[in-house]
């Protein structure tokens, strides 16, 4: 996900208006649309929490499009939400069982879109191999944290760092181990 430097992925009310920043970092790489598209092609399916899905629905209603193309998109929810595309499937219940028994055999690259509740749940359950964390050049003071209520330490390996000419720094970590706090 993309976060403010102080670690928030959205404002408390869910707004992500701060994602558009106007910084310039002369030594940074350009975020070429072709490279972004090629990267998105490598993703085989998406998994997201219901609140992130609701944000995606709002974006689409505003005419900003659907970011997940025609890839299968699994929405975690215990509620009845509108299914606006054939590619969307709702799931509730045991997430580890769902990912390991249903998704892993069918999809190579499973992208957890977020939000903070789902990213923490995913790490708690030992489901994540990698974390992609983009830091935006802004502080917003308060909001929804990247990892909501993580209850353990998670050792990571920093695998890649890339700085872009819009001031965004992209970090890729490999998950090493989760240690329950005593
Ligand atoms: N900056 C970024 O890159 C980025 C990326 C993604 C999202 N976001 C933002 O993050 C915000 C949402 O984050 P969030 O942490 O509040 O919520 P979230 O993680 O998107 O969704 C949490 C909800 O998903 C459902 N859920 C989670 N795990 C489940 C499971 N195992 N089984 C069934 N349902 C499950 C529950 O809702 P139910 O009540 O429906 O069961 C839970 O309250 C939005 O504002 C979004 O725009 C930002």
């Amino acid at each position: 996900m993309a976060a403010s430097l102080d670690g928030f992925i959205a404002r408390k009310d869910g707004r992500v208006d701060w994602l558009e920043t106007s910084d310039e970092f002369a030594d940074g790489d350009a975020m070429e649309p072709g490279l972004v598209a090629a990267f998105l092609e490598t993703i085989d399916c998406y998994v997201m929490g219901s609140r992130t899905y609701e944000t995606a629905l709002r974006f689409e209603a505003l005419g900003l499009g659907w970011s997940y193309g025609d890839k299968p998109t699994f929405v975690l929810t215990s509620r009845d939400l509108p299914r606006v595309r054939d590619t969307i499937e709702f799931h509730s219940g045991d997430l580890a069982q769902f990912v390991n028994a249903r998704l892993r055999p069918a999809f190579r690259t499973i992208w957890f879109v977020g939000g903070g509740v789902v990213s923490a749940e995913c790490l708690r359950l030992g489901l994540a191999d990698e974390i992609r964390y983009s830091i935006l050049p802004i502080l917003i003071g308060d909001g929804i944290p990247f990892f909501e209520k993580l209850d353990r330490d998670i050792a990571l390996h920093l695998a890649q760092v890339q700085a872009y000419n819009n001031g965004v720094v992209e970090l890729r970590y490999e998950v090493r181990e989760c240690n329950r706090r005593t």
Side-chain angles (χ1 to χ4, degrees):
M1 291 190 282
S4 59
L5 180 61
D6 43 355
F8 300 113
I9 55 163
R11 297 192 196 278
K12 276 274 178 238
D13 62 6
R15 277 180 301 139
V16 287
D17 52 300
W18 51 274
L19 282 178
E20 293 291 328
T21 63
S22 57
D23 192 22
E24 283 178 28
F25 175 52
D27 291 340
D29 298 329
M31 224 177 248
E32 302 289 354
L35 287 178
V36 176
F39 171 70
L40 291 177
E41 265 311 302
T42 67
I43 296 171
D44 297 319
C45 76
Y46 294 97
V47 180
M48 67 179 75
S50 61
R51 290 190 215 138
T52 296
Y53 178 59
E54 287 172 310
T55 301
L57 293 183
R58 275 198 300 278
F59 276 14
E60 203 178 27
L62 289 169
L64 299 172
W66 175 253
S67 303
Y68 313 101
D70 55 6
K71 301 282 171 76
T73 300
F74 300 93
V75 178
L76 308 176
T77 188
S78 54
R79 293 177 287 149
D80 256 336
L81 293 171
R83 181 168 179 259
V84 296
R85 287 190 143 62
D86 290 346
T87 48
I88 294 168
E89 196 177 301
F90 298 107
H91 173 80
S92 68
D94 188 327
L95 184 60
Q97 157 88 10
F98 178 61
V99 171
N100 291 326
R102 166 87 199 280
L103 300 187
R104 278 199 204 276
F107 303 103
R108 211 168 86 85
T109 305
I110 303 167
W111 183 270
F112 279 83
V113 181
V117 169
V118 166
S119 66
E121 196 172 344
C122 189
L123 284 159
R124 256 195 311 272
L125 295 170
L127 300 174
D129 305 309
E130 280 189 0
I131 297 172
R132 304 273 181 139
Y133 195 124
S134 294
I135 304 173
L136 272 79
I138 191 166
L139 297 159
I140 62 171
D142 196 9
I144 298 171
F146 200 115
F147 306 103
E148 185 79 63
K149 299 194 183 77
L150 203 53
D151 62 350
R152 64 196 58 190
D153 296 343
I154 307 222
L156 305 173
H157 164 64
L158 178 62
Q160 196 178 354
V161 178
Q162 196 157 8
Y164 290 97
N165 58 10
N166 61 359
V168 172
V169 178
E170 201 175 270
L171 305 168
R172 181 167 70 82
Y173 292 96
E174 288 162 9
V175 176
R176 284 169 51 201
E177 58 189 43
C178 310
N179 295 316
R180 191 181 293 277
R181 286 183 202 131
T182 49

